[in-house]
Amino acid sequence: MNDKKWVLGLAAAMIAASALTACGSNDDGESSSSPTAGANKEPVTLKLHTYGNEQSYNWKKTIAAFEQKYPNIKVEVIGLSEKGDTQEATKKLDLAAASGEQMDILMFSDAAAYAQRVGLGMVEPLDPFLQKEGVDFASEYKVDTLMNGKYYALPGKFNPWYVLLNKTHLKEAGLEVPKDWTWDEFMDYAKKLTKTENGKTRYGTYFHGPQNGGWLEFMKLGLVNQEENADFLKADGTSNLDSPLFRKSVEMRVKMEKEDQSATPYAEMLSQKLHYRAQFFNQSTSMIVIGSWMNTELGGTDQFPLNFEVAVAPIPKNSPSDPSGFAPVTTDYMAMAAKSKHKDEVYTFLRWYTTEGQIVQAKNVPSWKKVSNEDLAQLIDTILSGTKTPEKVDKTSLIAVLSGAKSSKIIPPVTFQAEIYKAINEEFELLILGKQDIDTMIKKSQERTQKLIDANKK
């Protein structure tokens, strides 16, 4: 979806769609600055375009609860992918927009899809609605969705990254479950947890990336726990690869694999097509850095039964004095279609869904800050109850990490993001496979990234 030609083609399609629906969003006389629609004169039906399937999002129960509270607003769920494939769903969403279909509520799975469609004019700013309701975004939500000085979406779920720990291995090594730690301590844990028996090594940790231009979170481990500039580019679009924290990320990966021999070799990950679920649940590694979408699997599944105790720790910090809790976070960007003729009702749904609706849905931890500790504990109980052996999960550590997690400030993705990822991935592979040194790897990554920035300047 980051390919420049695709975006240009999509832009042309959107312009065509705009011409087809040029009447705009207020041709019914409604004011786009009126924030709520609790008791409307006439019933309206909103269309929710989503990549989320019934199994993952519990739509029937969720929509029924909303319609019971707001009987004059009906919501029709338009599923864009039965298997929950976000790429398939995004392409279908764009085609629906280009054909002029009714669109009211839009759901994006990642910041890139969200940012691109904001740029194409598909999404309505929510600031007038928030202001009229008197909502202070920062006091309400954990995930920052600010784009170009405006809020175009409200965040749904809150899936911060964390460290999954084999608690049984920790006990054997005499190690405590970390509540607040640094990357140096993480590296020390990995060394102490690494164990070789009968010629087979159980590694302290396993990194699932980068690979094939994806999973680049594993190339910025020292950056992701920052409040600002937590990515390869800064908010102003300039390169962030001169940051000492990028160098630290690279050096840590090399040290753990080559010197400490506490991380699963990168070459093994590629050649054996390893996957983080199997590595962790089969106890080939003791720790993995991963996203909290794993909450629904922590207690074991049919495919990966749990034969040990599991605990959770926060993403490590660079130094003990750094603020705690910052981590990469995935969310659902819940947005209002710019062409919707029912903006007040859409806003009513967005606010309900991203607050109490998340509790009703009971599938994910919400981004809503006003979830009580009691509600969070009940949600975790509900989520874990869907696993095979929830009693083996250290629930206290899980709740502590999730309640303390924070999202870094969003950096709007660029259209050539995938090309940057590919360049850094390629240079890292040359490094980790012994074909260049760290200085060369960083220098070439900086040069290739800068060329991409220069080539894509308007």
Side-chain angles (χ1 to χ4, degrees):
M1 294 304 298
N2 289 317
D3 183 85
K4 193 172 182 181
K5 291 181 180 178
W6 165 251
V7 173
L8 291 173
L10 175 58
M14 291 305 304
I15 291 170
S18 233
L20 289 172
T21 55
C23 292
S25 55
N26 291 322
D27 57 359
D28 57 357
E30 291 184 321
S31 169
S32 63
S33 62
S34 177
T36 56
N40 281 309
K41 297 175 184 176
E42 295 181 8
V44 300
T45 297
L46 306 179
K47 296 205 173 182
L48 163 59
H49 286 73
T50 175
Y51 71 89
N53 56 26
E54 176 63 27
Q55 180 181 357
S56 299
Y57 280 86
N58 221 351
W59 287 123
K60 291 178 182 176
K61 175 185 175 184
T62 305
I63 299 304
F66 173 76
E67 292 179 349
Q68 183 177 3
K69 185 168 184 177
Y70 299 98
N72 289 318
I73 307 175
K74 306 299 178 186
V75 179
E76 180 183 346
V77 177
I78 310 295
L80 299 171
S81 174
E82 289 185 10
K83 56 187 177 181
D85 185 313
T86 57
Q87 289 189 332
E88 175 190 13
T90 305
K91 288 181 179 179
K92 286 184 177 179
L93 177 69
D94 292 336
L95 289 172
S99 66
E101 287 184 23
Q102 178 187 339
M103 286 185 159
D104 300 293
I105 304 157
L106 308 177
M107 182 175 174
F108 303 115
S109 65
D110 61 84
Y114 165 55
Q116 287 172 353
R117 275 128 205 101
V118 167
L120 290 167
M122 281 179 65
V123 187
E124 182 79 9
L126 299 176
D127 301 75
F129 301 90
L130 293 166
Q131 289 164 9
K132 186 161 186 178
E133 191 188 352
V135 173
D136 175 44
F137 189 97
S139 299
E140 287 278 307
Y141 298 106
K142 291 183 178 182
V143 180
D144 176 31
T145 63
L146 195 68
M147 288 280 300
N148 304 321
K150 294 180 180 179
Y151 292 106
Y152 288 89
L154 302 181
K157 66 187 179 186
F158 182 70
N159 278 350
W161 281 50
Y162 50 29
V163 182
L164 285 188
L165 306 161
N166 184 315
K167 191 176 179 180
T168 303
H169 289 175
L170 290 186
K171 289 178 180 178
E172 292 172 357
L175 298 171
E176 297 291 327
V177 175
K179 296 179 180 178
D180 189 37
W181 57 340
T182 64
W183 283 115
D184 288 339
E185 291 171 313
F186 175 89
M187 293 168 73
D188 184 57
Y189 265 54
K191 281 196 292 185
K192 291 176 178 176
L193 290 165
T194 299
K195 188 176 180 180
T196 301
E197 288 182 345
N198 301 320
K200 184 176 181 181
T201 300
R202 183 194 78 197
Y203 290 98
T205 195
Y206 166 80
F207 297 113
H208 193 56
Q211 52 177 303
N212 303 316
W215 296 99
L216 266 291
E217 290 86 357
F218 293 100
M219 283 309 305
K220 50 185 175 181
L221 295 176
L223 288 165
V224 296
N225 53 12
Q226 305 298 298
E227 182 176 5
E228 298 184 1
N229 296 325
D231 213 326
F232 299 128
L233 297 185
K234 297 177 183 177
D236 62 4
T238 59
S239 173
N240 196 31
L241 298 188
D242 58 353
S243 167
L245 298 181
F246 175 63
R247 174 176 283 273
K248 177 173 182 172
S249 305
V250 176
E251 290 176 342
M252 181 167 64
R253 290 293 305 273
V254 173
K255 185 177 189 299
M256 293 187 75
E257 179 172 331
K258 304 298 185 183
E259 185 180 328
D260 298 346
Q261 297 183 350
S262 61
T264 306
Y266 185 80
E268 282 187 24
M269 180 196 74
L270 294 181
S271 63
Q272 298 179 29
K273 297 181 180 178
L274 301 179
H275 194 274
Y276 61 86
R277 283 185 176 87
Q279 291 301 104
F280 185 70
F281 285 106
N282 294 341
Q283 303 194 71
S284 298
T285 188
S286 301
M287 305 188 296
I288 59 170
V289 180
I290 203 66
S292 57
W293 56 79
M294 289 296 293
N295 290 345
T296 57
E297 303 174 45
L298 291 188
T301 60
D302 288 332
Q303 184 179 9
F304 294 110
L306 181 62
N307 299 311
F308 54 93
E309 289 184 274
V310 169
V312 179
I315 292 291
K317 306 185 296 188
N318 292 306
S319 66
S321 60
D322 285 351
S324 301
F326 285 105
V329 171
T330 58
T331 190
D332 290 320
Y333 296 84
M334 304 301 300
M336 178 187 296
K339 296 300 179 183
S340 174
K341 296 181 179 180
H342 309 291
K343 290 189 169 62
D344 292 341
E345 291 83 0
V346 171
Y347 179 75
T348 297
F349 178 82
L350 294 180
R351 280 287 286 151
W352 179 88
Y353 177 75
T354 58
T355 54
E356 61 187 277
Q358 292 292 290
I359 308 295
V360 172
Q361 198 169 52
K363 283 291 186 179
N364 297 286
V365 173
S367 291
W368 190 33
K369 285 185 176 181
K370 296 182 180 179
V371 175
S372 67
N373 291 335
E374 183 181 354
D375 282 340
L376 180 59
Q378 289 177 354
L379 265 176
I380 295 299
D381 279 338
T382 301
I383 291 169
L384 292 178
S385 68
T387 65
K388 293 294 183 183
T389 49
E391 69 277 3
K392 292 182 180 179
V393 179
D394 183 340
K395 194 172 70 172
T396 300
S397 68
L398 176 60
I399 292 173
V401 170
L402 294 176
S403 60
K406 306 167 190 170
S407 170
S408 304
K409 291 185 178 178
I410 188 172
I411 297 176
V414 293
T415 56
F416 52 97
Q417 196 96 15
E419 296 170 75
I420 292 176
Y421 286 174
K422 181 174 182 288
I424 295 173
N425 195 155
E426 289 173 350
E427 297 305 329
F428 174 74
E429 282 194 4
L430 291 174
L431 164 66
I432 205 70
L433 298 178
K435 298 179 181 179
Q436 64 183 4
D437 60 25
I438 290 177
D439 288 341
T440 304
M441 179 265 169
I442 292 176
K443 184 171 183 286
K444 288 173 66 179
S445 296
Q446 291 171 336
E447 290 173 349
R448 292 180 65 179
T449 297
Q450 192 58 50
K451 282 183 180 178
L452 289 167
I453 293 171
D454 293 340
N456 285 274
K457 282 182 179 175
K458 293 181 180 179

